[in-house]
């Protein structure tokens, strides 16, 4: 089952603390009009990770579990410095778009009379978050090599450093009355970024707003207590006055209530939330084949310079069609290729005869001849043209070489319960990420043989 960072009292700078944080939180819920159904309870018992929410009576699909009024949400618009954040909005723009919320949290955490103090008491202890961004770099590389996580973390860390020193710290120093010296800390900022990554919510745009910038993240008390499962039994609904958590499946008495954080592969779960779903529970798991790996596999099949030049010409054309990019990846799920159009077009263009490519290029890629046998569903892969299968197979083999261990090593560890139990928590989580990805890649090897 899914687990994430244990929820202990937040080691934030505010100090103090209710001896019974749950009682304090429930009392706060009543004061702010956050209505919990009598059928649910916030508990540490019967949950997969620290605090969670458990059904005290059986719940039917469609039943309301709790409703959070918008005034109880913590965001840049509801915090006590919302006016200042709005006025300074231009200066607080950043790549992540999270800076205003993070400044709101930094302020409220140290404000002695913050209305959200009882909510903070249920936060996980910030110094014990398990995101790979807090692992030593050597351990991160050793355990997660090939999974895509180390590269994603390096980008995060560079962005966090840049944001903190160029935007956040100067803003806090310009307003010393609102940010005490104890919250002017890169470590605390780093921890809060991880907390926002794992616990915040982003309200989806309405269909007619698709062109707009995404909504800013916000903290949703009660909703962020729920743990995640791909096979979840509750879902958050947004309405003008409140946010409602509604049951989507029957929940028997004593069972935990799970939300979903979206369709997340295990590498995304560990990167953003600090946990994974053990194999085979995560039905949304995926493996990536880097786009440049397919180019590399195709280059290995060229024999003379003219062939190499033609291959680069084909690649440049795929870039022009926006089917590939130097940092992109083809995403393969257990039952479907999530980037079907991109991978189909890439295999087609890289494998077609030179004359056919010239014609295809002259038509700017508009050839309305998609055949059923070219459909890239998982079950259809054995029916693909031999050249397509061969290129896909070579690309999978190159991808498997990026891991430090092979599938058999992982299987031996997983099948020996005694050995597995002796692994550290991080080693277990990383093993599940690697194993899930390799199982998908090995399935592709079988289908392309």
């Amino acid at each position: 089952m899914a687990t994430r960072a244990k929820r202990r009292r937040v080691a934030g700078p505010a100090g103090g603390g209710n001896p019974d944080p749950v009682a304090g939180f429930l009392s706060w819920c009543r004061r702010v009009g956050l209505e919990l159904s009598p059928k649910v309870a916030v508990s540490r018992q019967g949950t997969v990770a620290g605090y969670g929410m458990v059904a005290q009576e059986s719940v039917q699909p469609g039943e309301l579990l709790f409703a959070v009024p918008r005034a109880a949400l913590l965001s840049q618009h509801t915090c006590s410095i919302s006016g200042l954040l709005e006025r300074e909005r231009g200066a607080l723009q950043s790549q992540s778009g999270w800076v205003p919320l993070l400044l709101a949290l930094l302020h409220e955490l140290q404000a002695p009379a913050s209305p959200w103090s009882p909510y903070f008491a249920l936060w996980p202890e910030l110094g014990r978050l398990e995101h790979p961004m807090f692992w030593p770099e050597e351990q991160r590389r050793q355990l997660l090599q090939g999974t895509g996580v180390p590269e994603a973390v390096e980008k995060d860390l560079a962005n966090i450093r840049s944001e903190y020193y160029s935007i956040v710290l100067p803003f806090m120093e310009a307003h010393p009355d609102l940010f005490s010296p104890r919250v002017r800390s890169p470590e605390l900022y780093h921890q809060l970024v991880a907390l926002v990554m794992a616990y915040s919510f982003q309200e989806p745009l309405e269909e007619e707003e698709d062109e707009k910038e995404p909504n800013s993240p916000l903290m949703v008390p009660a909703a962020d207590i729920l743990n995640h499962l791909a096979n979840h039994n509750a879902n958050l609904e947004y309405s003008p006055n409140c946010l409602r958590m509604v049951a989507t499946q029957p929940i028997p008495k004593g069972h935990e209530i799970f939300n979903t954080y979206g369709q997340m592969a295990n590498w995304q779960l560990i990167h953003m939330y600090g946990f994974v779903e053990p194999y085979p529970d995560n039905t949304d798991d995926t493996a990536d084949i880097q786009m440049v790996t397919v180019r590399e596999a195709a280059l290995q099949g060229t024999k003379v310079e003219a062939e190499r030049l033609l291959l680069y010409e084909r690649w440049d054309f795929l870039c022009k069609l926006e089917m590939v990019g130097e940092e992109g990846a083809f995403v393969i799920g257990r039952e479907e290729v999530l980037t079907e159009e991109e991978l189909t077009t890439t295999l087609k263009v890289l494998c077609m005869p030179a004359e056919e490519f010239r014609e295809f290029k002259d038509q700017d890629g508009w050839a309305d001849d998609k055949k059923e046998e070219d459909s890239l569903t998982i079950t259809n892969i054995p029916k693909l043209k031999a050249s397509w299968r061969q290129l896909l197979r070579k690309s999978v083999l190159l991808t498997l070489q990026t891991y430090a261990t092979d599938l058999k090593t992982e299987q031996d560890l997983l099948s020996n319960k005694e050995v597995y139990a002796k692994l550290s928590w991080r080693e277990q989580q990383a093993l599940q990420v690697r194993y899930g990805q390799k199982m998908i890649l090995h399935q592709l090897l079988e289908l392309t043989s």
Side-chain angles (χ1 to χ4, degrees):
M1 282 210 151
T3 56
R4 65 178 177 194
K6 298 285 184 194
R7 290 168 176 277
R8 300 177 184 82
R9 203 197 161 288
V10 61
N18 188 323
D20 181 357
V22 174
F25 175 70
L26 294 176
S27 169
W28 176 80
C29 287
R30 287 189 290 275
R31 285 201 305 276
V32 299
L34 196 164
E35 296 171 34
L36 286 167
S37 160
K39 291 188 176 184
V40 304
V42 177
S43 175
R44 279 178 178 279
Q45 272 67 50
T47 64
V48 295
Y51 289 117
M53 202 168 276
V54 176
Q56 291 187 302
E57 296 172 39
S58 64
V59 174
Q60 295 311 306
E63 279 194 58
L64 179 67
L65 304 170
F66 56 84
V68 187
R70 286 193 175 263
L73 305 176
L74 175 46
S75 74
Q76 67 205 59
H77 306 297
T78 59
C79 68
S80 53
I81 56 167
S82 58
L84 173 66
L85 295 176
E86 181 57 34
R87 284 195 301 278
E88 299 287 339
R89 190 171 52 175
L92 300 178
Q93 284 181 342
S94 68
Q95 195 176 340
S96 71
W98 294 4
V99 166
L101 174 61
L102 287 157
L103 284 166
L105 296 180
L106 285 163
H107 172 71
E108 295 295 344
L109 267 178
Q110 51 91 67
S114 172
W116 284 278
S117 292
Y119 161 61
F120 296 148
L122 285 199
W123 272 10
E125 193 173 326
L126 293 178
R128 300 186 68 142
L129 294 170
E130 271 295 349
H131 297 63
M133 65 168 72
F134 299 112
W135 302 7
E137 186 181 353
E138 195 177 326
Q139 183 184 44
R140 189 165 60 234
R141 292 226 159 264
Q142 181 196 348
L143 294 179
L144 293 165
Q145 181 185 321
T147 64
V149 175
E151 295 79 3
V153 168
E154 288 308 314
K155 281 184 189 169
D156 288 344
L157 293 175
N159 287 340
I160 289 167
R161 276 192 295 272
S162 163
E163 247 176 35
Y164 180 75
Y165 287 107
S166 64
I167 305 171
V168 175
L169 185 60
F171 185 84
M172 291 197 288
E173 286 175 339
H175 303 279
D177 51 324
L178 299 175
F179 300 94
S180 64
R182 61 179 182 244
V183 294
R184 289 180 232 159
S185 143
E187 290 76 26
L188 177 60
Y189 186 73
H190 187 174
Q191 290 162 354
L192 286 177
V193 169
L195 186 107
V196 167
M197 200 184 262
Y199 289 86
S200 69
F201 290 77
Q202 195 165 26
E203 187 165 355
L205 292 169
E206 299 291 334
E207 276 181 31
E208 62 272 16
E209 299 179 318
D210 271 356
E211 301 302 309
K212 275 179 62 181
E213 287 287 303
N215 284 314
S216 306
L218 36 87
M219 307 305 290
V220 186
D224 57 13
I225 289 171
L226 271 60
N227 289 304
H228 161 95
L229 269 188
N231 182 22
H232 55 107
N233 52 22
N235 191 45
L236 190 64
E237 297 178 354
Y238 296 81
S239 65
N241 299 321
C242 64
L243 277 56
R244 306 164 76 249
M245 189 67 73
V246 176
T248 56
Q249 293 184 36
I251 308 171
K253 179 181 178 179
H255 282 227
E256 185 168 2
I257 297 159
F258 290 100
N259 186 19
T260 174
Y261 305 157
Q263 290 184 301
M264 295 274 181
N266 269 344
W267 80 266
Q268 293 167 308
L269 284 175
I270 199 166
H271 168 226
M272 295 180 67
Y273 302 94
F275 73 89
V276 302
E277 288 194 68
Y279 188 86
D281 293 355
N282 188 356
T283 50
D284 295 322
D285 210 6
T286 61
D288 286 1
I289 298 173
Q290 296 302 312
M291 290 173 170
V292 291
T293 301
V294 178
R295 182 180 68 192
E296 175 61 27
L299 275 169
Q300 286 181 6
T302 59
K303 295 178 182 66
V304 294
E305 185 63 18
E307 285 180 6
R308 278 192 284 277
L309 289 172
L310 178 59
L311 189 113
Y312 276 112
E313 187 185 338
R314 294 173 190 242
W315 185 261
D316 289 343
F317 183 63
L318 285 166
C319 290
K320 185 185 158 197
L321 293 178
E322 296 185 346
M323 289 293 156
V324 296
E326 294 297 306
E327 293 194 4
F330 300 114
V331 185
I332 321 292
R334 286 195 204 160
E335 293 175 8
E336 61 177 335
V337 178
L338 278 72
T339 51
E340 185 187 351
E341 186 190 359
E342 291 84 351
L343 185 52
T344 304
T345 308
T346 300
L347 294 173
K348 178 180 182 171
V349 168
L350 295 183
C351 295
M352 61 175 49
E355 268 313 300
E356 200 181 318
F357 171 64
R358 292 269 168 255
E359 208 176 300
F360 188 70
K361 192 178 177 186
D362 289 343
Q363 294 171 340
D364 265 346
W366 290 99
D368 190 22
D369 61 347
K370 191 174 180 193
K371 304 180 184 75
E372 199 176 315
E373 64 266 26
D374 295 346
S375 164
L376 208 64
T377 58
I378 294 289
T379 49
N380 214 39
I381 285 173
K383 300 178 204 159
L384 294 176
K385 292 185 183 79
S387 58
W388 292 30
R389 287 203 316 274
Q390 194 180 357
L391 179 53
L392 187 53
R393 184 178 179 78
K394 277 187 186 171
S395 305
V396 171
L397 288 167
L398 285 176
T399 301
L400 285 165
Q401 286 173 20
T402 63
Y403 296 93
T405 51
D406 61 12
L407 183 66
K408 185 169 184 328
T409 309
E410 320 288 34
Q411 279 169 333
D412 291 346
L413 281 171
L414 277 167
S415 58
N416 189 328
K417 288 198 171 107
E418 229 174 284
V419 175
Y420 183 76
K422 286 179 182 164
L423 297 176
S424 71
W425 191 84
R426 289 176 183 178
E427 286 169 335
Q428 289 178 356
Q429 301 291 293
L431 171 59
Q432 295 287 354
V433 176
R434 299 192 307 264
Y435 184 69
Q437 291 183 349
K438 288 178 194 175
M439 285 298 281
I440 291 169
L441 292 169
H442 275 267
Q443 180 190 16
L444 275 184
L445 278 188
E446 283 175 32
L447 293 169
T448 52
S449 60

